[in-house]
């Protein structure tokens, strides 16, 4: 048996077959404290050896530094990898410490050119609208994105944190290959509208933070106490104070299932997300993020775990008991507009 035991899934109705688990690369340059560049590069290589072919980044991750960091790896393996990046999060001109959302056509064109340059590629495989600017009709935004496809700068289009209604409107302009949204044992709001719409339209779901930003692995219990000052999870309500203490207790059924299979908590959490493909009858390609090759090996192994109906039932009540929102400001998420 080779390392390449990961199953595959189709990216969009007419897109390529990719590994059924991708890799979120944000933490290699941004958000989760200091990173070791050498270790991150080894992680990228190991992921590819294991059959991971979808690599996720964004122009906002480290103000373009993540795209630059990934460029040599992509260049060395261009025919083997599918590159996903995003636009929409801009620096507020009135306050450089804050972000604003922009979906206007001139901004999109500026962003795609900058990403192509940083990535040092001729075409982006999957180009996402990172967040929705409600002041710009989504049909207008997707219309410009569709022009990028016709111009050969982008192959497929994706949307992140959109509602089911917004997805359907976008699909009316140009086929959408993927919708990226937070989906995990702790975050299941997309199941009411986004998931059934994606299924109906043949759109692939790409869950980000399928490990609850690491909380579901048991790697930390309270962001204020356990994480470095520059870790952005300290700003997320469910990981601090009384919320964190309450949410730690919710890991007990995950631990019970993990012990039954002889696997880690994180592997159970990932297996649950992967199994939603069967539950909801649509392609699901989670993109857990990590900077360690050993974690990639652990994550990929979760694709071979099958949870029983009884185990799924045991895990079912967790999400509704979670204390605290996934962001301090939920207005830019799909849940904030449903």
């Amino acid at each position: 048996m080779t390392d390449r035991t990961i199953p595959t899934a189709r990216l969009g109705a007419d897109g390529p077959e990719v590994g059924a688990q991708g890799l979120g690369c944000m933490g290699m340059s941004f958000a989760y404290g200091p990173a070791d560049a050498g270790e991150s590069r080894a992680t990228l290589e190991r992921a590819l050896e294991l059959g991971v072919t979808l690599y996720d980044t964004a122009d906002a991750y480290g103000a373009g530094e993540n795209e630059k960091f990934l460029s040599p790896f992509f260049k060395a393996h261009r025919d083997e990898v599918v590159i996903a990046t995003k636009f929409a999060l801009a620096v507020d001109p009135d306050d450089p410490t804050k972000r604003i959302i922009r979906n206007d056509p001139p901004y999109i064109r500026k962003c795609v050119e900058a990403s192509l340059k940083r990535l040092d590629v001729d075409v982006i495989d999957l180009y996402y609208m990172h967040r929705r600017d409600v002041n710009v009709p989504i049909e207008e935004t997707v219309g410009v994105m569709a022009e990028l496809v016709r111009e050969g700068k982008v192959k497929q289009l994706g949307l992140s944190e959109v509602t089911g209604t917004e997805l359907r409107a976008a699909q009316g302009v140009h086929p959408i290959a993927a919708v990226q949204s937070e989906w995990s044992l702790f975050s299941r709001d997309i199941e009411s509208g986004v998931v059934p719409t994606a299924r109906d339209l043949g759109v692939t779901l790409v869950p980000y933070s399928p490990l609850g930003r690491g909380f579901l692995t048991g790697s930390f219990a309270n962001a204020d106490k356990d994480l470095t000052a520059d870790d952005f999870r300290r700003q997320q309500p469910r990981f601090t104070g009384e919320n964190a203490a309450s949410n730690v207790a919710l890991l007990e059924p995950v631990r019970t299932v993990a012990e039954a299979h002889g696997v880690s908590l994180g592997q159970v959490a990932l297996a649950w997300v992967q199994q939603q493909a069967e539950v909801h009858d649509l392609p699901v390609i989670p993109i857990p993020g990590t900077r360690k090759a050993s974690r990639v090996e652990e994550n990929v192994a979760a694709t071979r775990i099958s949870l029983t109906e009884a185990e799924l039932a045991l895990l079912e009540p967790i999400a509704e008991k979670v204390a605290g929102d996934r962001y301090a400001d939920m207005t830019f998420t799909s849940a904030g507009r449903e």
Side-chain angles (χ1 to χ4, degrees):
M1 181 179 294
T2 67
D3 281 338
R4 290 181 177 273
T5 55
I6 186 173
T8 62
R10 187 166 297 282
L11 189 59
D14 301 310
E17 289 279 335
V18 298
Q21 186 181 111
L23 181 63
C25 301
M26 178 179 76
M28 295 179 181
S29 308
F30 174 71
Y32 292 121
D36 181 283
E39 187 173 41
S40 293
R41 282 190 286 269
T43 299
L44 293 167
E45 295 288 350
R46 185 59 177 143
L48 186 59
E49 289 174 354
L50 293 170
V52 174
T53 53
L54 177 63
Y55 293 80
D56 185 88
T57 182
D59 61 4
Y61 300 162
E65 289 303 313
N66 195 237
E67 289 179 324
K68 291 180 183 178
F69 174 78
L70 295 169
S71 177
F73 170 74
F74 291 154
K75 193 168 186 177
H77 302 286
R78 188 64 188 97
D79 295 336
E80 302 172 82
V81 301
V82 173
I83 302 170
T85 192
K86 317 178 193 72
F87 73 88
L89 297 180
V91 175
D92 187 338
D94 298 322
D95 184 352
T97 65
K98 294 182 179 180
R99 294 267 183 83
I100 58 173
I101 301 172
R102 290 187 61 179
N103 290 172
D104 55 284
Y107 180 74
I108 297 172
R109 289 197 163 275
K110 177 182 176 182
C111 286
V112 74
E113 296 297 340
S115 285
L116 285 167
K117 183 176 181 180
R118 285 189 294 263
L119 291 165
D120 193 21
V121 296
D122 296 325
V123 61
I124 294 166
D125 299 314
L126 177 59
Y127 200 43
Y128 284 102
M129 180 189 77
H130 204 161
R131 291 292 185 271
R132 168 95 165 93
D133 178 358
V134 296
N135 297 309
V136 179
I138 196 164
E139 294 87 349
E140 181 178 340
T141 299
V142 176
V144 177
M145 296 171 72
E147 291 175 4
L148 301 180
V149 175
R150 290 191 288 271
E151 293 166 11
K153 296 174 181 178
V154 171
K155 290 184 180 179
Q156 290 185 289
L157 303 184
L159 303 172
S160 181
E161 290 288 359
V162 293
T163 66
T165 299
E166 291 165 347
L167 173 57
R168 195 172 292 279
Q171 183 81 359
V173 178
H174 188 279
I176 302 300
V179 166
Q180 187 172 129
S181 213
E182 188 163 354
W183 198 8
S184 73
L185 283 168
F186 268 24
S187 300
R188 297 181 58 181
D189 49 83
I190 67 169
E191 292 175 26
S192 61
V194 180
V195 171
T197 302
R199 180 185 60 238
D200 292 346
L201 299 177
V203 177
T204 299
L205 248 296
V206 179
Y208 72 82
S209 298
L211 295 171
R213 303 196 184 278
F215 195 86
L216 285 165
T217 70
S219 61
F220 73 99
N222 186 300
D224 288 333
K225 298 177 181 178
D226 302 335
L227 304 178
T228 57
D230 57 350
D231 194 306
F232 92 121
R233 288 172 289 186
R234 292 171 62 126
Q235 303 169 24
Q236 295 183 296
R238 61 178 50 167
F239 302 140
T240 59
E242 293 182 2
N243 286 346
S246 175
N247 292 335
V248 164
L250 299 179
L251 298 180
E252 285 309 307
V254 185
R255 187 168 285 109
T256 297
V257 175
E259 290 174 354
H261 285 264
V263 299
S264 69
L265 275 70
Q267 287 175 309
V268 171
L270 277 175
W272 181 88
V273 175
Q274 303 254 179
Q275 210 154 325
Q276 297 312 298
E278 299 174 23
V279 173
H280 294 280
D281 190 27
L282 82 169
V284 176
I285 307 172
I287 49 169
T290 185
R291 302 176 292 200
K292 296 182 178 180
S294 60
R295 289 296 186 194
V296 166
E297 294 168 357
E298 178 182 328
N299 292 345
V300 165
T303 64
R304 300 189 290 274
I305 299 171
S306 180
L307 304 178
T308 67
E309 290 295 327
E311 289 167 340
L312 290 173
L314 183 64
L315 301 172
E316 181 67 23
I318 292 176
E320 65 185 21
K321 298 178 182 178
V322 173
D325 287 329
R326 48 192 175 101
Y327 292 103
D329 180 2
M330 289 287 287
T331 60
F332 60 87
T333 68
S334 59
R337 297 190 304 278
E338 288 283 12

